[in-house]
Amino acid sequence: MKFAVKAWSNGGRARTGVLQLSNCPLPIETPSLLLTTRKGLPVFIAPDLLLSLPSPDSHLLHVSPMHFFEGASRKTISNIGGLHELVGLQNYGFSASPRDSMVCLPVAETTNKFGAAFETPCGRLSIKPSEYVEMVSSLKPNVWASLADEVPAYASESRNKTTVDRTIRWLDECISLDQARGTSVLGAIVGGSNVDERIRCAQEVAKRNVSGFWIGGFGLGDSMDEQGPALLNAVVDNLPKEKPRQICGLGLPEEILQGVASGIDLFDSTYIYQLTLGGFALTFPLERSERQFSDSYMIDSSGSDYTKINLRATIYRKDASPIVDGCDCYTCKNHTRAYINHLINVHEMLAQILLEIHNTHYYLRFFQKIRDAIREGEFDLFCQEFIHGRRDHIAMAAMC
Amino acid sequence: TMALKFEVLGRCNRARASKLTLPHFECQTPLFMPVGTQGTIKGLTTSQLEDIGCHIILGNTYHLELRPGSELIDELGGLHNFMNWPRALLTDSGGFQMVSLLHLADITEKGVTFQNRIGADIIMALDDVVKTTVTGPRVEEAMYRTIRWIDRCIAAHRRPDEQNLFGIVQGGLDPDLRDICVKELVKRNLPGYAIGGLSGGEEKDSFWRVVAQCTAALPDDKPRYVMGVGYPLDIVVCSALGADMFDCVYPTRTARFGTALVPEGLLKLKHKVMASDMRPIDPECTCMVCKKYTRAYIHSLVTKDAMGSQLVSYHNLSYMMRFPKGDIPEWVCDAMEVACIDISTCCFPSKD
Ligand SMILES: [Zn+2]
Ligand SMILES: [Zn+2]
């Protein structure tokens, strides 16, 4: 993996970069969204439909090695040739980390000095660094995060300290067990909501021979509004600028903007998955010129807001328009809101397939706009307009 | 008037290969129609269905009437538009499920009206279906009722220039009743005919004899549809006997439980031996799934992840669009003999 920073926002931490992976024909620009997968494939988008998404933006996927502790054995996966061969996505890049934020979540109270515990569909699994590295070496993802002891935001001071000690010790174990000696390892940074522990962790990890950083411990009972930005800034300020930074647990558009503003390059997020399951479709204006005139989105009881609509709502029953006029995703080019509303009503899986396609496509374009704004030196303005658009919209809805 | 053209392109004794030109698509028969009950084939997009060579999709009138309703479908330009399927569609009559929505008295007319609004290329007349395991006067009654209803369906049909109303031959396993029914329906000069009431509960030996009798008595220049028949072997036999169209929920339903259709029969991907099987589902298959995936990987997905059922459905329907080969039981050989087809060079009778 090669990474290079290309541009910085005016006076800020936000940056664009390029990620070059040996098996991907085209470099992937950052900040970038990692597609959520279940056992290496998107949850609903089959590999032939994956081709309809923007390329190469859609070529970076997240994978959880924890998904492979059932089904085919490590030996079989190795024999098949690793993850890329297993899932038939030879030209795609995979970044692996244990937590998937969907069905595989850390269980801080069961994690101990021997290994990290996770709640998974096959029950509670405890995994030692050695077992984790063995699975990773069978899967051969492009990059992988070291095993972390992730704790929720409300963890005690002493638990936060243990978390950092343990995660650094596991990082050393992971690197020493790794045949490639850390050349594709993202060092995990934890420390809960304690700024000092976060800084200590970042500084210790930065001393190691890692190729990038994975920031954990977000999206576990914390609120990004409160101390998230300060924590993130403190972490990033202690990391070398030339290596990529991936974060887990930030997903909402505002959270992405905050993450980018703090200097995050890669987002491993299940936001699209959660939207899709809820029947939501992203609709916020992507073009700056559209942002002032966004009064067509109604707040209603179905949970629609400035950024999204809920296609479950009865108002879409006869709506023959695409989710977003002018969206060039497969779903919007081929299907109407009325049809998706019907599919949701009758519990047909095609609803989730079409929604995951649109939402992924749309979010990848949002990331494209973020990169453009950074390059043009207008990232601050981009964020302000986005936040204001949302505020104006809430104000307008309140008046109606 | 008729909204279809049927042209036989080639024959092998009773079997024929034809071009069936419907308002929305020029189909090649014999063909298999996947069942899309609620305006979608479970887990597949319409572009994937085109990719695997699907020509006609079946819709279920009763389900579509419940949700979203035929009036709404009509308002949005018909089912083709609603689900964005450019090729042909067929809707069933809704049958006796419709009783829950309608008065028995006008079920025939309403059923046709619903189908007129949905707008499929082929619509089915209402028939009175009795299980083939039932015997006695009920079978006769159902057959005569089916004949009485066909006239009401014809009279209620408002779009004969755009939609083809198919009549359904009933009569259980009784050759005399089937004979009366075929003759009555043929008199009506319908665009196509279906052989109904073969639910799979009957002996294979009775099954193929009914099909053979009906196909022989139906006009040569009209399509023949054997309803609800979909096991690969049954399709081969019925095709040999001169049937052209088939439908079945089996390939997609069984896929959701992790079973794949292969030339040897069924492949239970859930089975733990699959966990280390490095072969594709069917090494001979050229579908996207077989080109990309091992049985071992699909084993880890089936019955657990949405993608498992998507990928196995994709393979199973691709498989149904082609023709199976493999071991053949005795009853098939008997049926083939009647059809004057020598299968000894391509198939071997199975031991059991
Ligand atoms: Zn779209
Ligand atoms: Zn296949």
Side-chain angles (χ1 to χ4, degrees):
Chain A
M1 178 200 69
K2 278 186 202 143
F3 178 75
V5 176
K6 291 293 177 188
W8 292 86
S9 62
N10 293 338
R13 296 177 178 85
R15 66 213 203 145
T16 62
V18 286
L19 192 66
Q20 182 79 59
L21 301 168
S22 54
N23 61 314
C24 302
L26 293 168
I28 292 163
E29 294 181 29
T30 63
S32 170
L33 173 73
L34 275 65
L35 272 57
T36 298
T37 70
R38 193 72 73 80
K39 292 167 189 159
L41 282 181
V43 189
F44 298 107
I45 309 174
D48 55 334
L49 299 169
L50 199 51
L51 298 174
S52 73
L53 292 174
S55 177
D57 313 40
S58 61
H59 281 240
L60 203 54
L61 290 81
H62 174 258
V63 66
S64 164
M66 302 303 291
H67 294 184
F68 297 89
F69 284 91
E70 59 169 5
S73 68
R74 281 205 299 112
K75 189 167 169 292
T76 304
I77 295 171
S78 287
N79 289 345
I80 289 169
L83 182 64
H84 294 83
E85 293 296 326
L86 185 73
V87 303
L89 296 176
Q90 288 81 355
N91 299 328
Y92 286 68
F94 281 96
S95 174
S97 58
R99 169 181 156 199
D100 70 4
S101 306
M102 302 184 285
V103 294
C104 185
L105 289 160
V107 190
E109 58 275 20
T110 310
T111 292
N112 56 31
K113 62 181 175 180
F114 302 111
F118 296 89
E119 207 62 74
T120 78
C122 19
R124 193 167 285 188
L125 287 181
S126 278
I127 180 169
K128 299 187 191 90
S130 59
E131 294 166 325
Y132 178 65
V133 175
E134 278 174 5
M135 183 52 85
V136 166
S137 65
S138 298
L139 290 168
K140 302 189 208 54
N142 299 75
V143 292
W144 54 284
S146 61
L147 193 64
D149 176 12
E150 284 192 88
V151 293
Y154 48 79
S156 69
E157 293 300 298
S158 66
R159 183 70 176 88
N160 277 339
K161 188 177 178 305
T162 317
T163 294
V164 173
D165 293 342
R166 216 174 253 167
T167 301
I168 290 166
R169 190 157 45 78
W170 288 348
L171 171 62
D172 290 333
E173 261 187 87
C174 283
I175 293 173
S176 70
L177 291 165
D178 178 28
Q179 287 166 349
R181 287 286 174 264
T183 50
S184 54
V185 172
L186 304 177
I189 297 168
V190 294
S193 49
N194 183 315
V195 177
D196 295 334
E197 287 302 323
R198 284 276 177 182
I199 291 172
R200 181 166 75 95
C201 196
Q203 287 173 343
E204 283 301 316
V205 173
K207 287 181 201 162
R208 267 66 176 180
N209 178 29
V210 292
S211 57
F213 306 95
W214 181 86
I215 302 169
F218 285 88
L220 297 169
D222 52 291
S223 162
M224 197 54 200
D225 293 346
E226 292 160 26
Q227 47 176 344
L231 271 182
L232 259 188
N233 289 342
V235 169
V236 169
D237 288 345
N238 283 282
L239 299 177
K241 292 186 162 57
E242 68 279 7
K243 291 180 181 179
R245 305 136 180 183
Q246 181 176 325
I247 197 163
C248 170
L250 301 189
L252 295 169
E254 294 85 346
E255 292 176 342
I256 300 293
L257 291 175
Q258 185 52 59
V260 171
S262 296
I264 301 298
D265 307 298
L266 300 167
F267 292 82
D268 143 16
S269 155
T270 50
Y271 181 55
I272 298 302
Y273 171 72
Q274 280 145 6
L275 284 176
T276 300
L277 282 197
F280 288 98
L282 290 171
T283 53
F284 61 84
L286 284 169
E287 298 300 332
R288 287 170 59 185
S289 58
E290 296 165 14
R291 229 160 269 160
Q292 289 91 329
F293 311 103
S294 56
D295 58 342
S296 58
Y297 300 94
M298 303 292 284
I299 290 189
D300 59 38
S301 58
S302 64
S304 303
D305 60 23
Y306 172 69
T307 56
K308 60 187 187 290
I309 58 172
N310 192 333
L311 285 164
R312 206 182 288 274
T314 43
I315 46 165
Y316 304 114
R317 222 175 85 82
K318 293 185 183 183
D319 192 336
S321 53
I323 296 171
V324 172
D325 273 317
C327 175
D328 60 351
C329 83
Y330 173 85
T331 304
C332 291
K333 279 192 293 189
N334 290 287
H335 295 290
T336 62
R337 293 173 172 188
Y339 183 55
I340 299 168
N341 171 265
H342 164 70
L343 294 173
I344 294 172
N345 282 335
V346 297
H347 311 289
E348 282 285 355
M349 199 202 297
L350 187 56
Q352 283 80 48
I353 296 172
L354 297 178
L355 283 174
E356 193 179 32
I357 291 174
H358 168 81
N359 286 331
T360 305
H361 186 105
Y362 212 74
Y363 230 29
L364 290 173
R365 284 193 56 204
F366 177 57
F367 275 80
Q368 167 83 59
K369 297 290 171 196
I370 291 173
R371 295 193 295 267
D372 291 347
I374 296 171
R375 267 192 293 262
E376 288 156 17
E378 295 190 322
F379 179 65
D380 288 346
L381 192 62
F382 182 92
C383 293
Q384 279 166 24
E385 281 178 357
F386 188 89
I387 307 295
H388 284 154
R390 183 156 199 164
R391 214 167 285 155
D392 291 349
H393 168 70
I394 293 169
M396 192 131 44
M399 287 193 297
C400 301
Chain B
T1 53
M2 252 165 243
L4 66 76
K5 256 179 29 202
F6 186 74
E7 195 186 332
V8 177
L9 302 174
R11 291 177 193 277
C12 179
N13 301 310
R14 290 175 66 168
R16 68 253 190 99
S18 318
K19 186 168 84 179
L20 170 62
T21 310
L22 293 167
H24 288 86
F25 200 67
E26 192 176 275
C27 315
Q28 304 289 327
T29 72
L31 60 76
F32 177 78
M33 306 181 286
V35 181
T37 304
Q38 322 205 73
T40 163
I41 305 289
K42 288 200 186 302
L44 297 184
T45 64
T46 46
S47 55
Q48 287 179 316
L49 290 163
E50 284 189 75
D51 289 346
I52 62 177
C54 174
H55 292 184
I56 309 183
I57 292 175
L58 221 89
N60 192 283
T61 300
Y62 168 74
H63 285 100
L64 291 170
E65 185 55 38
L66 271 183
R67 284 180 305 191
S70 62
E71 277 184 352
L72 186 138
I73 293 175
D74 194 15
E75 208 175 305
L76 294 174
L79 186 56
H80 285 93
N81 249 327
F82 185 62
M83 65 185 287
N84 190 32
W85 174 244
R87 299 187 176 180
L89 284 166
L90 181 151
T91 43
D92 68 0
S93 67
F96 260 91
Q97 291 173 305
M98 219 65 107
V99 175
S100 63
L101 299 181
L102 302 164
H103 289 296
L104 196 54
D106 56 12
I107 194 167
T108 321
E109 289 76 11
K110 279 285 172 63
V112 173
T113 305
F114 293 162
Q115 292 189 77
N116 281 163
R117 287 191 201 131
I118 294 168
D121 300 74
I122 298 171
I123 64 176
M124 302 305 295
L126 184 68
D127 57 343
D128 186 4
V129 194
V130 183
K131 277 193 183 134
T132 44
T133 45
V134 173
T135 50
R138 178 69 185 93
V139 183
E140 187 170 356
E141 179 195 291
M143 187 276 286
Y144 281 112
R145 182 173 292 130
T146 299
I147 294 170
R148 287 198 303 278
W149 281 351
I150 187 71
D151 293 318
R152 287 168 57 188
C153 289
I154 294 167
H157 185 19
R158 290 286 166 271
R159 302 174 63 185
D161 297 330
E162 299 145 295
Q163 295 180 285
N164 300 285
L165 176 70
F166 278 30
I168 305 170
V169 180
Q170 289 295 347
L173 302 178
D174 185 328
D176 296 332
L177 297 181
R178 287 275 176 182
D179 188 52
I180 298 168
C181 198
V182 171
K183 286 197 174 117
E184 285 299 321
L185 289 179
V186 171
K187 274 188 211 162
R188 270 80 175 173
N189 190 28
L190 294 161
Y193 300 91
I195 302 164
L198 297 170
S199 57
E202 65 279 346
E203 290 291 312
K204 289 293 179 197
D205 207 46
S206 318
F207 160 77
W208 76 257
R209 283 174 208 283
V210 171
V211 175
Q213 182 197 352
C214 295
T215 50
L218 287 166
D220 187 59
D221 60 347
K222 302 274 174 73
R224 304 157 183 162
Y225 162 31
V226 186
M227 297 177 82
V229 164
Y231 294 116
L233 198 54
D234 296 347
I235 290 179
V236 175
V237 172
C238 294
S239 300
L241 293 168
D244 310 296
M245 301 162 69
F246 309 92
D247 80 278
C248 194
V249 293
Y250 182 71
T252 42
R253 179 172 292 167
T254 204
R256 293 198 291 283
F257 297 106
T259 303
L261 306 176
V262 292
E264 297 75 26
L266 303 175
L267 188 71
K268 300 221 187 294
L269 289 155
K270 206 58 234 126
H271 199 286
K272 49 181 192 305
V273 299
M274 295 296 157
S276 57
D277 197 326
M278 313 258 291
R279 289 171 290 174
I281 291 176
D282 171 8
E284 303 285 299
C285 180
T286 55
C287 87
M288 178 259 294
V289 178
C290 292
K291 274 191 283 189
K292 278 185 175 292
Y293 300 108
T294 55
R295 295 174 180 183
Y297 181 59
I298 295 172
H299 165 82
S300 67
L301 298 177
V302 288
T303 72
K304 294 196 190 87
D305 298 292
M307 192 54 68
S309 101
Q310 285 187 42
L311 295 181
V312 183
S313 292
Y314 189 103
H315 163 80
N316 282 0
L317 287 181
S318 307
Y319 181 82
M320 291 309 297
M321 298 305 150
R322 300 184 305 271
F323 255 27
K325 56 182 198 289
D327 285 0
I328 301 287
E330 192 63 30
W331 67 270
V332 177
C333 301
D334 295 346
M336 290 293 138
E337 209 176 296
V338 171
C340 305
I341 291 175
D342 179 13
I343 56 169
S344 58
T345 54
C346 61
C347 302
F348 309 97
S350 59
K351 310 292 172 288
D352 43 41

